[in-house]
Amino acid sequence: MLSKTICLFDVDGTLTKPRLVIEQDMYNTLTRLKEKVTVGLVGGSDLIKIAESPEEEVLNFFDYVFTENGLTAYVKGKIVNCESILLKLGEETCQELINFCLSYISKLKLPCKRGQFIEFRNGMINVSPVGRSCSVQERIEFFEFDKKHKIREAFVKILTEKFGKKYGLKFSIGGQISIDVFPIGWDKTYCLKFLDNFDKIYFFGDRTNEGGNDYEIYSHAATNAYNVEDPKDTISYLKSLFEI
């Protein structure tokens, strides 16, 4: 086993299809990979959404689990870190941001709108123009609409101009339907502070373009990073790199 090597994975679009469970082929590949290296997850969502299955299974299978970009961190199933965006920004700033987002979303014309436009997490605020309670099909429809009309890209630009420098905030497009809002430095590179004991860190993600929520860790000097198109692409890389 390469004891000083870790493979870190984004979740949606990398290990799984968006908001679905790990399929058997991926599970079998990761099981073989664990015989050679340490494995970990780093996602923007909380543990419940990252797991999409019993949380204990995820914490038992992966040696390192970094939720909300590592602001909440688990090592060998034990929580070792938890930060709070509310304590960092304060109630007044959080409300100013949330009120602006809700006002902006109210003026958008989309294929559909559902509930839960704002999700307040420990380490970030997640903003979804279509609403996180949309169905899988509605999620896909918004994603295709967004690719054509750049809804989130325009939203991020306005948020950055209004709040970025003023409050030291970063805005990243995440997954298919949302935008992650967090203090500068609280991106996925935050998890690297827990990995000083590794000589080689591999990262696999699908949102590696600038503005995507994998960009910072993908472009970081400490990682050997790979952009993937989907879970099948991830498996192909793993088989080639680690001969599994």
Side-chain angles (χ1 to χ4, degrees), residues 161-173:
E161 291 172 352
K162 186 171 180 63
F163 297 102
K165 187 175 181 180
K166 182 179 181 181
Y167 295 123
L169 292 173
K170 179 80 175 180
F171 304 87
S172 292
I173 294 173

Side-chain angles (χ1 to χ4, degrees), residues 15-240:
L15 290 185
T16 71
K17 296 176 182 177
R19 294 307 304 276
L20 297 178
V21 298
I22 292 178
E23 295 182 355
Q24 192 63 45
D25 192 19
M26 178 63 78
Y27 179 81
N28 293 342
T29 302
L30 292 175
T31 299
R32 294 193 298 272
L33 181 65
K34 285 180 64 176
E35 296 176 359
K36 294 195 170 187
V37 302
T38 301
V39 295
L41 298 180
V42 54
S45 296
D46 57 27
L47 183 58
I48 293 174
K49 290 184 179 63
I50 284 179
E52 293 295 341
S53 59
E55 297 167 29
E56 294 79 10
E57 291 183 11
V58 173
L59 293 176
N60 288 334
F61 185 83
F62 292 93
D63 303 293
Y64 289 76
V65 177
F66 300 112
T67 68
E68 302 183 46
N69 294 348
L71 277 298
T72 302
Y74 302 82
V75 179
K76 302 293 185 181
K78 304 295 184 181
I79 191 166
V80 297
N81 188 72
C82 187
E83 300 289 347
S84 168
I85 192 171
L86 179 59
L87 292 178
K88 178 75 171 178
L89 298 182
E91 182 65 39
E92 185 175 342
T93 299
C94 287
Q95 282 203 37
E96 180 185 355
L97 173 66
I98 290 169
N99 289 344
F100 179 86
C101 289
L102 290 173
S103 176
Y104 184 91
I105 290 170
S106 73
K107 298 177 178 65
L108 293 175
K109 180 66 176 177
L110 305 176
C112 72
K113 285 184 181 178
R114 298 296 179 256
Q116 201 175 355
F117 301 103
I118 306 291
E119 184 173 82
F120 203 93
R121 301 174 182 170
N122 285 329
M124 69 174 65
I125 297 171
N126 183 264
V127 180
S128 175
V130 66
R132 296 197 64 90
S133 61
C134 63
S135 68
V136 172
Q137 183 56 42
E138 290 165 343
R139 170 185 287 264
I140 294 170
E141 289 171 0
F142 172 78
F143 182 59
E144 295 302 320
F145 185 84
D146 185 49
K147 284 197 293 186
K148 181 178 180 181
H149 297 284
K150 309 295 184 184
I151 299 299
R152 289 183 293 171
E153 187 176 308
F155 199 174
V156 163
K157 183 178 180 181
I158 289 172
L159 287 169
T160 301
E161 291 172 352
K162 186 171 180 63
F163 297 102
K165 187 175 181 180
K166 182 179 181 181
Y167 295 123
L169 292 173
K170 179 80 175 180
F171 304 87
S172 292
I173 294 173
Q176 291 182 306
I177 63 169
S178 63
I179 296 166
D180 293 332
V181 183
F182 47 84
I184 292 172
W186 285 21
D187 53 66
K188 287 185 177 179
T189 61
Y190 190 91
C191 76
L192 298 176
K193 65 176 61 183
F194 303 102
L195 304 177
D196 289 340
N197 52 321
F198 292 98
D199 294 332
K200 185 167 287 189
I201 301 170
Y202 287 87
F203 172 76
F204 302 85
D206 67 319
R207 282 287 187 180
T208 60
N209 57 299
E210 190 167 3
N213 65 353
D214 293 327
Y215 173 75
E216 287 82 6
I217 191 168
Y218 173 79
S219 57
H220 197 280
T223 64
N224 297 278
Y226 295 83
N227 171 259
V228 300
E229 298 296 326
D230 52 36
K232 288 184 179 179
D233 200 21
T234 303
I235 290 174
S236 179
Y237 272 119
L238 294 177
K239 288 182 176 179
S240 174

